[in-house]
Amino acid sequence: MTDDWKRQLDRIHAEFVRRDDPAAWVTEADAVEASLRYPHLAVRGPVFGIAVQDQRSGPHWRVLKPVTDGTPQQARDGLNSHLWFRAKDDTDDAATRRALLAAVAVLEREPVDELEVLGLRYRVVRGDEFARSGDDGLEPPRPTDREPPESSWDGRHLTPTPDIDVVLDPDPGDTGVAAAALRLGLTDFAYAGTRFPTEVRRDSQRSVTTHPGIALLPVGFGVAERADKGWQPVGTLMPTPHDARRLLYGGMTETWPLVYQFDDEERAVYAQAAEAFRAAGRANEVRVAGTLYRIMRTERLVRIGPDGPEPPRPSDQDSYGPMKLHPTMDENGTVHHDD
């Protein structure tokens, strides 16, 4: 550990102790225990979202759209829809609507990663998703991870994403020593190994210099299955362990039987496993038809440079390009559905 690292951790430790927050101390102890049981980091890959900066209220960037998209274009589409619905629902002023629709028009034809609209800077931001692993595989949820107030298994209930309005700050000052140590340890993180193409490794190494700060996003949860070559994520990132359990339960009872065209016997096997998993309450594993599924804990980082969060890299891939997503709207707010 360098002297600079030690000074930073000593400062954070002193501030943490001074807070006198027993709940935070329990969470800190949980994090330290987890770092010992699951000492390795398994990188899944990049994720993308939208951040916004209002320079009238300060230099910080806040998350506008969750940093969970698999490609930059998905995030651009999210910004496209955000601005279009602002023009439709949030203003009666023709000049304001024209400015918003002009930005939408740009997003319909160009893969831009930053726009300034009505005094706000919008940026596609790039993050990296990773999980901890140990001798028994990927880290499951911790006892101190938040659960929804009501653990419903039915209906369309979903816990709101914790990403919205998070400040992308590499030095938030209100976290524990474990989180601070993780940020410091990730400072030099870059892709390595032959499974990453040369240009991906080159861009990753460059970002260590151009965007040296590390901001950590709220932890998420997902489903992973044990495969021949290790653990493979299944589905999308969820905000709480229970939401990930619901995702797994729904997969076994509804989605997978349709997608994989299960016969009656397969449906019965998965339905029985699903009901046993549900009855267990807060179970984090289920084995069915020879496959082990686990609720995994997922963390994300965003690199920060002098001008804010890192945008997509040249080596980041899109599977499609910009397109028109919504009907034409005029400056009076009239939507022309026949266009």
Side-chain angles (χ1 to χ4, degrees):
M1 180 183 296
T2 66
D3 289 343
D4 182 55
W5 276 37
K6 187 176 187 306
R7 283 195 296 271
Q8 292 186 60
L9 290 177
D10 286 346
R11 172 180 59 81
I12 293 166
H13 179 266
E15 293 173 354
F16 181 72
V17 171
R18 195 159 45 243
R19 283 162 55 191
D20 191 23
D21 184 346
W25 293 348
V26 173
T27 300
E28 181 75 6
D30 202 17
V32 172
E33 181 182 354
S35 69
L36 296 175
R37 292 185 61 193
Y38 300 95
H40 310 297
L41 299 184
V43 180
R44 182 178 183 184
V47 284
F48 303 89
I50 300 294
V52 61
Q53 181 195 55
D54 184 350
Q55 294 180 314
R56 294 165 295 188
S57 59
H60 293 304
W61 290 80
R62 293 181 176 272
V63 176
L64 177 71
K65 295 291 181 181
V67 187
T68 56
D69 290 325
T71 67
Q73 188 57 48
Q74 286 177 283
R76 296 183 198 111
D77 289 348
L79 178 58
N80 182 327
S81 292
H82 172 78
L83 297 175
W84 192 88
F85 280 104
R86 274 196 64 193
K88 175 179 177 293
D89 300 328
D90 294 349
T91 183
D92 292 321
D93 180 68
T96 298
R97 188 174 287 116
R98 280 197 302 270
L100 292 166
L101 294 176
V104 169
V106 172
L107 289 163
E108 289 176 342
R109 63 176 185 268
E110 299 177 35
V112 295
D113 292 326
E114 184 163 329
L115 282 172
E116 185 165 345
V117 187
L118 299 171
L120 298 178
R121 291 175 70 190
Y122 297 94
R123 178 179 294 177
V124 178
V125 298
R126 183 193 193 281
D128 271 300
E129 191 174 277
F130 62 95
R132 294 179 180 272
S133 66
D135 292 340
D136 68 337
L138 297 176
E139 181 187 12
R142 299 174 186 172
T144 49
D145 288 326
R146 73 183 187 111
E147 296 278 7
E150 297 183 9
S151 297
S152 168
W153 290 88
D154 303 306
R156 297 181 60 85
H157 165 79
L158 183 66
T159 307
T161 173
D163 279 15
I164 305 303
D165 281 339
V166 166
V167 176
L168 296 174
D169 187 349
D171 186 18
D174 59 351
T175 56
V177 179
L182 178 61
R183 289 197 307 273
L184 290 170
L186 290 169
T187 301
D188 294 330
F189 161 74
Y191 292 167
T194 56
R195 74 185 182 98
F196 297 107
T198 301
E199 62 272 19
V200 171
R201 297 197 305 268
R202 182 175 59 244
D203 286 350
S204 181
Q205 192 60 57
R206 183 186 302 116
S207 73
V208 173
T209 301
T210 60
H211 295 79
I214 300 291
L216 296 177
L217 290 166
V219 66
F221 304 87
V223 178
E225 70 173 62
R226 188 74 169 92
D228 293 339
K229 296 183 179 180
W231 292 88
Q232 296 293 329
V234 179
T236 189
L237 193 68
M238 307 302 285
T240 71
H242 184 71
D243 288 299
R245 295 184 193 109
R246 277 173 49 103
L247 180 68
L248 177 54
Y249 176 79
M252 290 189 288
T253 58
E254 298 178 10
T255 309
W256 300 346
L258 289 174
V259 171
Y260 301 116
Q261 298 181 337
F262 286 175
D263 59 29
D264 290 345
E265 183 178 351
E266 289 173 315
R267 285 176 179 271
V269 168
Y270 276 81
Q272 183 179 11
E275 294 310 320
F277 177 71
R278 172 173 172 168
R282 291 191 175 184
N284 290 320
E285 284 190 357
V286 60
R287 185 181 294 275
V288 57
T291 300
L292 177 65
Y293 296 93
R294 175 178 292 180
I295 305 302
M296 66 173 184
R297 190 178 198 273
T298 300
E299 300 181 68
R300 292 165 296 157
L301 67 89
V302 173
R303 284 196 166 274
I304 309 294
D307 190 40
E310 182 184 18
R313 299 170 185 170
S315 56
D316 290 326
Q317 299 293 310
D318 278 315
S319 56
Y320 64 94
M323 66 181 74
K324 189 177 181 67
L325 300 177
H326 302 284
T328 299
M329 185 191 315
D330 62 33
E331 65 178 27
N332 297 314
T334 301
V335 178
H336 300 273
H337 292 282
D338 57 346
D339 185 356

